Amino acid sequence: MQTVWVNTDTGSSPSQLKHHNGIVYFTSFGTGKLYAVDSETGHDLWEEESPNKSAYSQAGFDFVELTIDKEKELIYLNDRFFAMCIETIKR
């Protein structure tokens, strides 16, 4: 087995990785964020906190599995409080 890339900047304890259009999506328990990583290079494309996170709410994407609708290019997940739908990165 040969390691192609390693990304150490995405928190700890990632959820199951989901691949779509050359991008790997997952959540991290360590940061509570949703990540999009280029599957060829391992570089971060974005990392997003829950839109419901605030100084008063610890809403996060920790221990969350996501689902991708590949036809509509949408990500479905929850943040401990609400279910939501987020657009994938268009390539």
Side-chain angles (χ1 to χ4, degrees), residues 23-36:
I23 300 168
V24 177
Y25 296 93
F26 59 93
T27 59
S28 169
F29 173 69
T31 63
K33 295 180 180 180
L34 170 64
Y35 289 90

Side-chain angles (χ1 to χ4, degrees), residues 1-2 4-7 9 12-13 20-21 31-32 35 43 45 51 62 65 70-71 76 79 84 86 88-89:
M1 177 176 74
Q2 180 181 356
V4 177
W5 55 262
V6 175
N7 183 323
D9 194 32
S12 61
S13 301
H20 177 63
N21 285 344
T31 63
Y35 289 90
H43 293 126
L45 300 173
D62 13 17
E65 294 295 331
K70 294 183 178 189
E71 288 182 24
Y76 297 94
D79 68 355
M84 64 190 73
I86 299 172
T88 62
I89 295 173

Side-chain angles (χ1 to χ4, degrees), residues 52-82:
N52 301 311
K53 186 172 182 177
S54 70
Y56 306 105
S57 169
Q58 293 301 313
F61 296 124
D62 13 17
F63 289 122
V64 172
E65 294 295 331
L66 58 93
T67 300
I68 298 177
D69 181 329
K70 294 183 178 189
E71 288 182 24
K72 295 181 181 178
E73 299 193 1
L74 298 171
I75 301 167
Y76 297 94
L77 73 166
N78 69 302
D79 68 355
R80 286 195 253 167
F81 294 101
F82 304 104

